[in-house]
Amino acid sequence: MRRFALRHRLVIAAAGIVTVALLPNTAAVAIDTAPATDAQPAAKSQVENLNRGVISVHTGKGNRVSWRQLADDPAGTTFNVYRNGIKVNKAPISGATSLVDAGAPAGAKYAVRAVADGVERAAKHAAEDSLTLNAVSGAAGITASSRDVPIQQPAGGRTPSGENYTYVANDTSVGDLDGDGQFEIVLKWDPTNAKDNSQAGYTGNVYLDAYKLNGTRLWRIDLGRNIRAGAHYTQFQVFDYDGDGRAEVAVKTGDGTRSGTGQVIGNAGADHRNSSGYILTGPEFLSVFRGTDGAVLATANYQPPRGTVSSWGDNYGNRVDRFLAGTAYLDGTRPSIIMARGYYTRSVIVAWDYRNGALTQRWIFDSNTAGSQWAGKGNHNLSVADVDADGRDEVLYGSMAIDDNGRGLWQNNTHHGDAYHVSDFIPTRPGLEVFKVSEWTNEPTHWMGDARTGQIIWSAPSCGCDNGRGVAADIWAGNRGAEAWSASVGGLRSATTGGQVASRKPSSINFVIWWDGDAQRELLDGTHIDKYGTSGDTRLLTGSGVSSNNGTKSTPALSADILGDWREEVIWRTTDNRALRIYSTTDGTTITRPSLMQDRQYRVAVAWQNTAYNQPPHPSFAIGS
């Protein structure tokens, strides 16, 4: 084993420029070429201290009020609901965490208090008033509710080649940035000249904004001219990494990145762009920013360095800059930052801890040293899950998985693909499953495998084509467990019966969402939500005045359980880029369960959702089982 260490030093000059100096220090960032040994996880994982997420929407019948059940609510917990300080329920409410306050006026404020063992509990947070949403009417009446979060579009610009560009609201993530128990939104602004790695050309700068749900902007980070804009370049993670109750933001940075408080990382005047717009020289950094004001908290050299560009599979800068990012509880207790580079040939996955104001490298997995059998296994996305039930998370990286200690756990002799899903898709067998589509023309077109071993449970034969889309989820009650479908394979396949055709293929192959109150997920595609049916899909919601993101991928800004009960919300940008519009269901439900955001696998999936080709979040369990 070879060990050396680095630490970062931020030097703030009179001009406000922050330079990064890397200094040898055995007490700081440790980098091992051999993985760490196994360690027993602590009994309980760090979780967010969320409030009840109370929302209300005014309808002709009154106000429909919905709130979170939390994982630490004692068994048998019931609830009291207060409108403008006056209790509206006669007896404590049990079952589903919602009610209709008949005849209540629009704009009323609500608070919810838990009742355990007959005693009403105080609120966890000082301010827990409800958020008001607007009713959305469809042909059959009230179909949903929505709330606009105003956003501030950056000014456009002009590239060195003379191309003008403006800005479009792109992917978002959520985290409790200020510790008040409510999620804030972190939004990535993409310039209109953002590029796929395979495309030459200059791009505008990428910005990250933080907003409270009332539209108050907390900060703006400018990633600078030395971070190229595009889906494969700018993954960002929003999570509470140091356990102080407030989320941080972790992202790849470069010379000239400017923090939310005006600090500049590295050399503010450096311009490493070549004549084709690629950035193939100059330093690369990983930075952690404070959630409350966007200030730089820590910066380290990005690992791995690009090295020789051609060693990643081409010489013009496509494959060297394919990045993925995630968050994982590698010790079972606290979250670590996952940053990765490459997947077509060489794949390098690096785990970092942010603790006590410092970034420390936990481990690095490099296919160059692990062996050629680990090369070319990565996807345009990743997943994180505890696949071996030891309490510690693994990183699932396409056709391979990396154990919590940084060692290769499995690879199954398949290769790169575009879509990836991990959950308990087959409740009749133990453990979790992986569903993956393939870009390789001589391999199974899609397959479902054991998430612990990678062993393929069933597959579809090669189609001799690039199978670019695929989904696995329980969308039909007529089949036990989940179903799976993909672009190049016919029919809706049953996960539990070896991939046999169970019914017709759905109308979309994109995201899924829990919306209408039953245990099955609905189809989320573009700016609409549909209910699957054997004879045809039924439209439940069509977003008005909104647009999807990422070109033909047609993905939302975010889909996650961020408000109200356990069902999921969807966020789209308004077409004029002046707001983020949050849609929430108004359907009732008989299912009682804690917020999905308190399932660890689901929560970290929301964090990595913005990575490259966005994928929907899946929990560690099957709701319908």
Side-chain angles (χ1 to χ4, degrees):
M1 176 171 62
R2 177 171 60 90
R3 176 186 290 266
F4 63 99
L6 299 173
R7 65 183 174 91
H8 73 276
R9 182 178 65 191
L10 296 181
V11 183
I12 305 178
I17 295 175
V18 179
T19 60
V20 181
L22 294 176
L23 307 174
N25 185 334
T26 55
V29 181
I31 302 174
D32 283 330
T33 55
T37 56
D38 291 348
Q40 292 300 315
K44 190 174 182 180
S45 298
Q46 172 188 312
V47 296
E48 289 163 309
N49 186 22
L50 297 177
N51 66 14
R52 292 291 169 185
V54 185
I55 56 175
S56 67
V57 56
H58 186 68
T59 72
K61 298 179 180 179
N63 293 333
R64 185 183 183 279
V65 185
S66 176
W67 62 92
R68 290 187 186 108
Q69 180 181 336
L70 299 173
D72 62 356
D73 286 337
T77 293
T78 55
F79 298 94
N80 288 329
V81 177
Y82 292 84
R83 182 208 322 131
N84 300 330
I86 299 173
K87 190 169 75 169
V88 300
N89 55 293
K90 293 182 179 180
I93 297 167
S94 60
T97 53
S98 65
L99 66 73
V100 175
D101 185 13
K109 289 294 185 180
Y110 291 86
V112 172
R113 301 288 181 265
V115 179
D117 297 324
V119 177
E120 184 177 285
R121 295 190 167 190
K124 289 184 176 182
H125 299 273
E128 287 213 15
D129 281 344
S130 59
L131 290 173
T132 301
L133 280 70
N134 299 313
V136 176
S137 297
I142 304 300
T143 59
S145 58
S146 72
R147 180 182 179 88
D148 277 11
V149 179
I151 55 178
Q152 300 172 34
Q153 186 178 28
R158 188 177 180 88
T159 67
S161 59
E163 178 188 11
N164 294 321
Y165 59 88
T166 57
Y167 278 91
V168 175
N170 190 249
D171 296 332
T172 71
S173 193
V174 293
D176 183 2
L177 300 178
D178 55 12
D180 66 353
Q182 179 174 273
F183 287 122
E184 283 75 45
I185 297 175
V186 177
L187 164 67
K188 181 178 73 170
W189 287 100
D190 263 354
T192 50
N193 60 357
K195 306 292 184 187
D196 184 83
N197 296 50
S198 62
Q199 300 169 343
Y202 292 98
T203 73
N205 295 9
V206 175
Y207 296 96
L208 296 176
D209 283 0
Y211 295 93
K212 295 188 73 66
L213 295 183
N214 63 7
T216 300
R217 195 180 81 183
L218 300 178
W219 46 257
R220 169 168 289 169
I221 294 169
D222 178 0
L223 294 184
R225 67 170 67 96
N226 293 306
I227 296 293
R228 204 164 186 244
H232 302 290
Y233 295 101
T234 49
Q235 337 300 332
F236 62 98
Q237 294 295 289
V238 182
F239 222 86
D240 179 11
Y241 291 107
D242 61 0
D244 69 351
R246 299 182 296 273
E248 293 80 39
V249 177
V251 66
K252 183 176 181 285
T253 56
D255 275 343
T257 295
R258 187 177 294 272
S259 78
T261 56
Q263 300 159 293
V264 178
I265 293 174
N267 181 351
D271 187 345
H272 302 298
R273 296 172 294 181
N274 65 22
S275 60
S276 297
Y278 288 97
I279 301 159
L280 305 180
T281 60
E284 302 173 284
F285 308 119
L286 171 64
S287 295
V288 177
F289 296 89
R290 187 162 52 214
T292 52
D293 60 5
V296 178
L297 294 174
T299 293
N301 279 341
Y302 191 88
Q303 297 293 329
R306 65 175 69 88
T308 302
V309 170
S310 59
S311 68
W312 296 87
D314 59 63
N315 60 10
Y316 68 97
N318 178 3
R319 296 183 176 187
V320 66
D321 277 355
R322 298 279 180 161
F323 299 103
L324 300 177
T327 295
Y329 286 74
L330 299 172
D331 64 1
T333 305
R334 301 179 70 179
S336 297
I337 303 165
I338 303 298
M339 288 285 161
R341 180 177 222 142
Y343 38 76
Y344 285 116
T345 52
R346 182 186 180 193
S347 296
V348 185
I349 301 99
V350 185
W352 298 84
D353 293 336
Y354 175 69
R355 312 275 192 264
N356 302 315
L359 272 169
T360 304
Q361 190 171 299
R362 175 177 281 267
W363 49 251
I364 183 167
F365 175 90
D366 189 338
S367 63
N368 272 6
T369 56
S372 60
Q373 70 272 27
W374 300 93
K377 302 295 181 182
N379 258 37
H380 286 305
N381 24 66
L382 51 69
S383 188
V384 173
D386 177 12
V387 301
D388 52 10
D390 65 355
R392 303 185 295 270
D393 287 340
E394 282 70 48
V395 179
L396 291 102
Y397 203 75
S399 293
M400 68 179 183
I402 310 304
D403 207 349
D404 56 83
N405 58 15
R407 299 187 180 99
L409 181 64
W410 58 259
Q411 64 84 21
N412 65 3
N413 296 314
T414 63
H415 294 83
H416 173 74
D418 287 3
Y420 204 51
H421 305 270
V422 180
S423 190
D424 187 9
F425 297 130
I426 310 177
T428 54
R429 68 180 300 277
L432 305 175
E433 291 78 38
V434 177
F435 180 70
K436 178 183 175 298
V437 300
S438 181
E439 195 171 288
W440 283 48
T441 59
N442 59 348
E443 293 182 353
T445 299
H446 67 214
W447 55 263
M448 183 163 285
D450 187 314
R452 181 179 65 85
T453 66
Q455 181 178 1
I456 293 176
I457 301 168
W458 56 263
S459 65
S462 172
C463 63
C465 63
D466 175 352
N467 190 19
R469 301 285 179 93
V471 185
D474 180 7
I475 63 167
W476 182 40
N479 173 69
R480 186 176 185 184
E483 297 77 46
W485 65 106
S486 68
S488 299
V489 179
L492 182 70
R493 306 278 169 148
S494 168
T496 59
T497 61
Q500 293 180 344
V501 174
S503 186
R504 56 169 283 275
K505 187 189 290 189
S507 58
S508 65
I509 312 173
N510 199 354
F511 267 53
V512 286
I513 185 171
W514 274 292
W515 187 261
D516 69 355
D518 60 26
Q520 284 67 47
R521 290 180 105 169
E522 280 64 60
L523 305 169
L524 169 57
D525 182 51
T527 58
H528 54 85
I529 296 172
D530 297 325
K531 180 72 173 176
Y532 176 80
T534 55
S535 59
D537 300 334
T538 301
R539 181 62 46 87
L540 301 181
L541 172 69
T542 299
S544 176
V546 295
S547 297
S548 60
N549 285 337
N550 303 313
T552 60
K553 301 301 179 189
S554 300
T555 52
L558 186 74
S559 177
D561 174 20
I562 61 172
L563 295 169
D565 64 30
W566 62 272
R567 267 88 57 79
E568 295 172 291
E569 282 68 46
V570 58
I571 304 177
W572 288 298
R573 61 180 174 93
T574 57
T575 303
D576 60 10
N577 291 294
R578 294 184 178 180
L580 296 171
R581 185 161 295 160
I582 305 172
Y583 283 91
S584 186
T585 184
T586 54
D587 289 349
T589 183
T590 60
I591 296 175
T592 304
R593 61 153 295 99
S595 167
L596 294 175
M597 292 293 261
Q598 297 209 293
D599 176 67
R600 193 172 85 187
Q601 180 177 324
Y602 182 93
R603 180 64 187 91
V604 298
V606 171
W608 57 246
Q609 187 179 138
N610 68 78
T611 292
Y613 289 175
N614 302 13
Q615 301 288 279
H618 297 286
S620 62
F621 55 87
I623 284 182
S625 63

